[in-house]
Amino acid sequence: MRAYADTEKVSTNILKSLAVVLVALRQQMGDPSGLSHAYKLRAAEMYRNAGIGPTNTSNVSANVRYHINNLLRVVYTAAELEDANLKTASAVERSAERRQLTRAVVQAATASTRAEALPAGDDAASTVRAVSDHLRIAEMLQSSVGRMQPDTIRREMTPAQRGVLYQRLQAVKQEITALSGILRDAGMERPPA
């Protein structure tokens, strides 16, 4: 950590090294979440000994926490993370999931808009496009719902937020039930299992 005091700008390697040291300290102290008073005192002492002043500590520690977050998922099992009330997915994984979900929502909205704009039975090309859009919307809906993280629902949401999510999922369920009835009435053949 002393290397920080000798540099104007902290390199990623130094931040990662700090993270490794702090994760090792967490392991040594049996405190994966780093929330104990003893851990916080030792971590603060390490920052001071490295010459990181109070004005720089918050910026450096925010960057170090990012690397700690990723390292914790390497060092601890999912069960150990859950026992420590930590998320099992890393920030990188959650960010990738958010980007995929955003992309899926945009694609679904685009496909839905195109499907609604087509006149029914116009011609073969528009029929193919409408069918394709409907299948894509269904795929994105399945993908979007499948990306919901149970620990986010359990640990991160307030009871009111869980209530809103429940209402929205119930509305989706009603729409799916109605569409399933349309498929059944249209003589849907069951796909092979």
Side-chain angles (χ1 to χ4, degrees):
M1 289 181 69
R2 178 60 76 185
Y4 172 80
D6 299 331
T7 62
E8 182 77 22
K9 191 173 182 179
V10 181
S11 76
T12 302
N13 289 338
I14 292 173
L15 294 173
K16 286 180 179 180
S17 297
L18 290 172
V20 168
V21 170
L22 291 171
V23 168
L25 179 62
R26 288 179 182 200
Q27 287 179 297
Q28 180 184 8
M29 299 181 85
D31 182 15
S33 61
L35 295 176
S36 72
H37 183 67
Y39 169 80
K40 289 179 180 182
L41 286 175
R42 294 276 303 272
E45 181 184 354
M46 290 173 74
Y47 280 107
R48 272 193 311 278
N49 290 340
I52 301 172
T55 56
N56 296 346
T57 303
S58 62
N59 289 338
V60 172
S61 26
N63 291 325
V64 170
R65 274 194 307 274
Y66 172 83
H67 296 293
I68 286 174
N69 177 292
N70 293 325
L71 279 171
L72 289 173
R73 274 117 199 108
V74 173
V75 173
Y76 293 101
T77 66
E80 290 170 326
L81 291 169
E82 284 181 5
D83 289 344
N85 289 322
L86 295 170
K87 296 176 183 170
T88 55
S90 72
V92 171
E93 293 166 332
R94 289 191 308 271
S95 177
E97 287 170 1
R98 274 192 301 276
R99 282 193 309 275
Q100 287 176 338
L101 181 57
T102 300
R103 192 169 34 253
V105 168
V106 168
Q107 288 174 346
T110 303
S112 177
T113 302
R114 285 191 337 186
E116 290 170 3
L118 291 173
D122 185 25
D123 61 10
S126 63
T127 300
V128 168
R129 193 168 78 199
V131 169
S132 170
D133 286 346
H134 279 71
L135 293 174
R136 193 172 16 260
I137 291 167
E139 179 184 357
M140 286 173 229
L141 176 63
Q142 178 186 7
S143 176
S144 298
V145 171
R147 284 190 175 84
M148 290 189 183
Q149 298 293 316
D151 40 301
T152 299
I153 295 168
R154 282 189 214 107
R155 296 193 180 123
E156 304 299 322
M157 288 185 160
T158 65
Q161 291 168 331
R162 283 192 290 271
V164 169
L165 177 63
Y166 179 80
Q167 289 174 342
R168 290 183 179 164
L169 289 175
Q170 289 303 308
V172 169
K173 182 179 176 182
Q174 288 176 349
E175 293 291 334
I176 290 172
T177 301
L179 289 170
S180 296
I182 292 169
L183 288 168
R184 197 175 34 257
D185 293 346
M188 176 191 74
E189 293 183 21
R190 295 206 179 257

